[in-house]
Amino acid sequence: MDLFATIVVDGLIYAGWLFIVSVGLTLVFGVLNILNIAHGSLYAIGAYASASLVGAYFAAGGDAFPYGSYAALILAAVLVAVVLGPLLERGLLKYFYGRDEVLNVLVTYAVFLILEDVMKLIWGVNPYFVYEPYTLLGDVEIGPLFYVGYDFAVIAAAIIVGLAVWLTLNRTHRLAHLCTQIGKVVLAVIHDAEMSQTMGVNVQRIYLGAFTAGAFLAALGGALTAPMISVTPGLGANVIIVAFAVVIIGGLGSVPGAAIGALMVGISRAASVHLLPEAELFIVYFVMAIVLVFRPE
């Protein structure tokens, strides 16, 4: 039972982190119909930016209120999205809408390579450490098991992100007195962008908003991960591969599918780590292959 509990908790922690990253990828694909490989670089830039901002926060006297470092993590993700989201979408990707999917993949892969070198120019090649936010929430005891409280905060963040995205796409029309009908408009663009445009929808604005939101989610995943790891070059490459597996398992463009895919990958990876460690890297692609065999659509 202890081993089972360990696998479940470890799987949920990994799935929560993975969902935050993957839901941004699936949102961009659902709206723009672009498989954005540069999503991995946005994740890595979010990690670097949060490490720098949190470091600056504590250097400026943040020890007096260390919990403010969590605001710094979120602010870093916002800054990355606000700067790079419009820059990439308006400056480059808008010229490739409706083009061949392979061309779009190559374009975003080129952006990925460029951003990888930009990160080295800005932050160098030495690792960055930002451990303070990770230690603030103490430990959580589950039976004989002890976990860092920050890990469960990541799960809570994933739930909040998932609900926020789903409610925005499916329920904002019920709150028309408080906000515009964002969800209905976005869903209309997803299903038929040309018809939406003829009905007066500013499709280009929806594209910009969706890509910026996806960039924020990628950067947020990186920002929340930074306190848990050493931030080093090449961080985004491994992440984007696993995120692709998640959205393929759950169905490209599906937010609930991204949640299901993240859970499947998280639990299966945790089970592999504890029961068959040598298959850890293989298990993600095995799960993806099994899903595609039975549900290729």
Side-chain angles (χ1 to χ4, degrees), residues 45 111-124:
I45 293 174
V111 173
F112 170 83
L113 295 177
I114 292 170
L115 292 179
E116 289 295 300
D117 283 341
V118 168
M119 282 184 278
K120 292 177 183 178
L121 289 173
I122 296 175
W123 285 284

Side-chain angles (χ1 to χ4, degrees), residues 54 60 67-68 116 129 133 152 154 177 209 230 236 263 289 291:
V54 170
Y67 293 98
E116 289 295 300
F129 301 94
F152 293 93
V154 172
H177 61 290
S230 62
L263 283 172
V291 170

Side-chain angles (χ1 to χ4, degrees), residues 119-287:
M119 282 184 278
K120 292 177 183 178
L121 289 173
I122 296 175
W123 285 284
V125 296
N126 294 322
Y128 279 67
F129 301 94
V130 52
Y131 62 88
E132 293 89 350
Y134 192 63
T135 61
L136 290 177
L137 299 180
D139 297 327
V140 176
E141 182 179 356
I142 302 178
L145 307 175
F146 287 86
Y147 289 89
V148 179
Y150 185 88
D151 293 335
F152 293 93
V154 172
I155 295 177
I159 294 173
I160 293 171
V161 166
L163 287 175
V165 174
W166 186 81
L167 289 173
T168 298
L169 293 177
N170 297 278
R171 290 293 183 267
T172 51
H173 58 283
R174 295 185 180 180
L175 303 174
H177 61 290
L178 296 177
C179 58
T180 58
Q181 299 180 8
I182 301 172
K184 276 188 172 181
V185 172
V186 173
L187 289 174
V189 172
I190 290 174
H191 290 297
D192 195 328
E194 185 177 359
M195 182 60 69
S196 300
Q197 190 164 11
T198 62
M199 296 294 291
V201 174
N202 190 331
V203 173
Q204 300 302 317
R205 184 180 299 173
I206 298 299
Y207 284 169
L208 173 60
F211 187 85
T212 303
F216 168 73
L217 292 171
L220 180 63
L224 294 177
T225 306
M228 305 165 67
I229 62 171
S230 62
V231 183
T232 56
L235 184 64
N238 294 330
V239 169
I240 192 61
I241 293 173
V242 181
F244 275 152
V246 168
V247 297
I248 289 171
I249 290 170
L252 288 166
S254 170
V255 174
I260 294 171
L263 283 172
M264 292 178 64
V265 170
I267 298 296
S268 61
R269 178 183 177 275
S272 177
V273 167
H274 291 283
L275 300 175
L276 194 64
E278 56 269 26
E280 177 193 352
L281 295 178
F282 162 76
I283 195 67
V284 174
Y285 308 105
F286 177 73
V287 172

